[in-house]
Amino acid sequence: MKERNLTCIVCPRGCSLTAVLDGDKVVSVVGNACPRGKIYAEKECTHPERTVTSTVKTADGSVVPCKTRTPVPKEKVFDVMKEINEVTAGNVLRIGDTVIENAAGTGVDVVICANKG
């Protein structure tokens, strides 16, 4: 059995978690103050995900903030960033507008995080 120490990032509490793994399977999680910590530790140990935040170029040369609508598999973060770096959005944008659909084949859209124009 192997132990993995984590800090939960689900809420501001930042619980110190210890996940016990048997191979690739999480058999126990201790240290969580709520059930969300257990779910976080299990996902982080078996299939970690991240929300990608960045900026996207617009047609007039400025940039606007963007992010993935939901987290993407950690191994796809650089592929998503490559697509973000290659796209140019319009000049009139509203929060929530989709600038990339199905980024890097993840099924997750990249959306605008600020109004422009």
Side-chain angles (χ1 to χ4, degrees):
M1 301 254 192
K2 177 178 141 184
E3 286 188 358
R4 183 163 172 204
N5 295 314
L6 304 159
T7 300
C8 184
I9 60 171
V10 176
C11 77
R13 192 175 233 174
C15 295
S16 294
L17 309 174
T18 300
V20 178
L21 292 95
D22 184 5
D24 290 338
K25 182 178 165 95
V26 177
V27 292
S28 71
V29 175
V30 294
N32 53 301
C34 71
R36 295 180 301 167
K38 180 177 187 288
I39 294 166
Y40 167 77
E42 290 171 345
K43 285 183 82 174
E44 187 64 17
C45 290
T46 59
H47 194 91
E49 296 179 320
R50 299 290 184 268
T51 298
V52 178
T53 59
S54 186
T55 56
V56 64
K57 293 175 282 192
T58 62
D60 67 6
S62 63
V63 294
V64 292
C66 65
K67 70 177 188 99
T68 52
R69 192 178 301 275
T70 59
V72 298
K74 189 175 175 183
E75 68 271 11
K76 291 285 196 170
V77 167
F78 288 107
D79 297 330
V80 170
M81 279 304 305
K82 184 173 187 265
E83 288 189 19
I84 290 171
N85 289 333
E86 293 173 353
V87 74
T88 300
N91 288 324
V92 178
L93 300 164
R94 297 289 169 248
I95 294 172
D97 286 354
T98 299
V99 289
I100 301 172
E101 291 182 358
N102 188 23
T106 61
V108 177
D109 297 341
V110 176
V111 296
I112 295 299
C113 298
N115 294 328
K116 179 183 180 337

